[in-house]
Short mmCIF file of all heavy atoms in Angstrom, two decimals:
data_model
loop_
_atom_site.label_atom_id
_atom_site.label_comp_id
_atom_site.label_asym_id
_atom_site.label_seq_id
_atom_site.Cartn_x
_atom_site.Cartn_y
_atom_site.Cartn_z
N GLU R 40 68.64 -62.43 0.10
CA GLU R 40 67.44 -63.28 -0.22
C GLU R 40 67.33 -63.32 -1.75
O GLU R 40 67.56 -62.36 -2.38
CB GLU R 40 66.21 -62.56 0.36
CG GLU R 40 64.89 -63.43 0.16
CD GLU R 40 63.76 -62.72 0.70
OE1 GLU R 40 63.70 -61.44 1.02
OE2 GLU R 40 62.65 -63.41 0.92
N CYS R 41 66.89 -64.36 -2.33
CA CYS R 41 66.51 -64.50 -3.77
C CYS R 41 67.80 -64.19 -4.58
O CYS R 41 67.66 -63.35 -5.56
CB CYS R 41 65.38 -63.69 -4.23
SG CYS R 41 63.77 -64.38 -3.55
N ARG R 49 55.06 -64.44 -12.26
CA ARG R 49 55.13 -65.71 -11.50
C ARG R 49 55.22 -66.95 -12.53
O ARG R 49 55.84 -67.87 -12.17
CB ARG R 49 54.11 -65.87 -10.33
CG ARG R 49 54.20 -64.88 -9.33
CD ARG R 49 55.40 -65.04 -8.51
NE ARG R 49 55.48 -64.16 -7.25
CZ ARG R 49 56.48 -63.95 -6.53
NH1 ARG R 49 57.66 -64.50 -6.80
NH2 ARG R 49 56.43 -63.19 -5.51
N LYS R 114 62.12 -70.00 4.79
CA LYS R 114 61.56 -68.86 5.45
C LYS R 114 60.27 -69.19 5.94
O LYS R 114 59.44 -69.80 5.26
CB LYS R 114 61.46 -67.81 4.22
CG LYS R 114 60.89 -66.41 4.71
CD LYS R 114 60.88 -65.50 3.55
CE LYS R 114 60.43 -64.05 3.87
NZ LYS R 114 60.46 -63.11 2.80
N PHE R 118 55.53 -62.71 3.48
CA PHE R 118 55.29 -61.22 3.30
C PHE R 118 54.05 -61.06 2.61
O PHE R 118 53.98 -60.76 1.30
CB PHE R 118 56.67 -60.53 2.62
CG PHE R 118 56.55 -58.99 2.69
CD1 PHE R 118 56.44 -58.31 3.97
CD2 PHE R 118 56.66 -58.22 1.72
CE1 PHE R 118 56.49 -56.99 4.16
CE2 PHE R 118 56.64 -56.85 1.85
CZ PHE R 118 56.69 -56.23 3.01
N TYR R 128 51.99 -57.19 -1.67
CA TYR R 128 52.83 -58.35 -1.73
C TYR R 128 51.96 -59.50 -1.18
O TYR R 128 51.42 -59.37 -0.23
CB TYR R 128 54.11 -58.31 -0.98
CG TYR R 128 54.98 -57.19 -1.55
CD1 TYR R 128 54.98 -55.87 -1.06
CD2 TYR R 128 56.00 -57.42 -2.43
CE1 TYR R 128 55.91 -54.89 -1.46
CE2 TYR R 128 56.99 -56.48 -2.96
CZ TYR R 128 56.84 -55.24 -2.47
OH TYR R 128 57.64 -54.23 -2.99
N GLU R 130 53.46 -62.96 -0.77
CA GLU R 130 54.44 -63.99 -0.99
C GLU R 130 53.96 -65.48 -0.87
O GLU R 130 54.40 -66.26 -1.54
CB GLU R 130 55.50 -63.77 0.12
CG GLU R 130 56.85 -64.69 -0.10
CD GLU R 130 57.98 -64.39 0.77
OE1 GLU R 130 57.71 -63.83 1.81
OE2 GLU R 130 59.04 -64.77 0.39
N CYS R 155 64.67 -62.27 5.79
CA CYS R 155 63.99 -60.94 5.40
C CYS R 155 62.81 -60.71 6.40
O CYS R 155 63.04 -60.26 7.61
CB CYS R 155 63.41 -61.19 4.02
SG CYS R 155 62.92 -59.56 3.30
N TYR R 156 61.52 -60.92 6.05
CA TYR R 156 60.41 -60.51 6.89
C TYR R 156 60.46 -61.23 8.24
O TYR R 156 59.93 -60.61 9.28
CB TYR R 156 59.06 -60.92 6.10
CG TYR R 156 57.87 -60.47 6.70
CD1 TYR R 156 57.62 -59.17 7.12
CD2 TYR R 156 56.76 -61.44 6.86
CE1 TYR R 156 56.40 -58.82 7.60
CE2 TYR R 156 55.61 -61.05 7.32
CZ TYR R 156 55.23 -59.72 7.69
OH TYR R 156 54.12 -59.34 8.34
N ARG R 159 60.93 -59.33 11.61
CA ARG R 159 59.91 -58.59 12.39
C ARG R 159 59.25 -59.56 13.63
O ARG R 159 58.30 -59.18 14.18
CB ARG R 159 58.74 -58.27 11.42
CG ARG R 159 59.28 -57.19 10.56
CD ARG R 159 58.12 -56.75 9.68
NE ARG R 159 58.48 -55.73 8.66
CZ ARG R 159 58.58 -54.37 8.88
NH1 ARG R 159 58.23 -53.83 10.01
NH2 ARG R 159 58.90 -53.57 7.77
N ALA R 180 65.34 -59.00 0.78
CA ALA R 180 65.07 -58.12 -0.32
C ALA R 180 63.96 -57.23 0.19
O ALA R 180 62.86 -57.18 -0.21
CB ALA R 180 64.38 -59.02 -1.43
N PHE R 181 64.53 -56.40 1.09
CA PHE R 181 63.52 -55.46 1.84
C PHE R 181 63.04 -54.38 0.85
O PHE R 181 63.95 -53.84 0.18
CB PHE R 181 64.27 -54.82 3.03
CG PHE R 181 63.53 -54.89 4.30
CD1 PHE R 181 63.46 -56.14 4.99
CD2 PHE R 181 63.00 -53.74 5.11
CE1 PHE R 181 62.71 -56.30 6.15
CE2 PHE R 181 62.39 -53.95 6.14
CZ PHE R 181 62.13 -55.21 6.79
N ASN R 182 61.72 -54.05 0.98
CA ASN R 182 61.36 -53.03 0.03
C ASN R 182 61.74 -51.61 0.43
O ASN R 182 62.02 -51.29 1.71
CB ASN R 182 59.90 -53.19 -0.30
CG ASN R 182 59.02 -52.60 0.79
OD1 ASN R 182 58.69 -51.31 0.79
ND2 ASN R 182 58.55 -53.51 1.73
N THR R 185 59.43 -49.70 3.35
CA THR R 185 59.53 -50.18 4.71
C THR R 185 61.01 -50.18 5.18
O THR R 185 61.37 -49.98 6.37
CB THR R 185 59.03 -51.58 4.90
OG1 THR R 185 59.66 -52.48 3.98
CG2 THR R 185 57.43 -51.47 4.64
N ARG R 222 59.24 -52.38 -8.63
CA ARG R 222 59.79 -52.99 -7.43
C ARG R 222 61.11 -52.44 -7.03
O ARG R 222 61.95 -52.50 -7.88
CB ARG R 222 59.73 -54.44 -7.50
CG ARG R 222 60.36 -55.18 -6.33
CD ARG R 222 59.79 -56.54 -6.33
NE ARG R 222 60.19 -57.36 -5.26
CZ ARG R 222 59.92 -58.69 -4.97
NH1 ARG R 222 59.21 -59.18 -5.80
NH2 ARG R 222 60.36 -59.27 -3.95
O1 KGT O 301 58.73 -62.34 -3.88
C1 KGT O 301 59.82 -62.89 -4.10
O2 KGT O 301 59.92 -63.27 -5.32
C2 KGT O 301 60.87 -62.93 -3.10
N1 KGT O 301 60.40 -62.60 -1.79
C3 KGT O 301 60.56 -61.27 -1.36
O3 KGT O 301 61.21 -60.42 -1.85
C4 KGT O 301 60.11 -61.10 -0.03
C5 KGT O 301 58.48 -61.16 -0.20
S1 KGT O 301 57.81 -60.25 -1.28
N2 KGT O 301 60.31 -59.73 0.60
C6 KGT O 301 60.14 -59.56 1.90
O4 KGT O 301 59.92 -60.32 2.67
C7 KGT O 301 60.33 -58.05 2.19
C8 KGT O 301 60.06 -57.74 3.58
C9 KGT O 301 59.87 -56.27 3.95
O5 KGT O 301 60.16 -55.45 2.95
C10 KGT O 301 59.37 -55.81 5.16
O6 KGT O 301 59.25 -56.60 6.25
O7 KGT O 301 59.12 -54.61 5.19
#
Side-chain angles (χ1 to χ4, degrees):
E40 183 181 23
C41 293
R49 294 295 185 190
K114 182 179 185 181
F118 194 54
Y128 296 91
E130 188 176 20
C155 199
Y156 187 49
R159 295 182 184 271
F181 232 69
N182 79 81
T185 58
R222 178 159 179 175

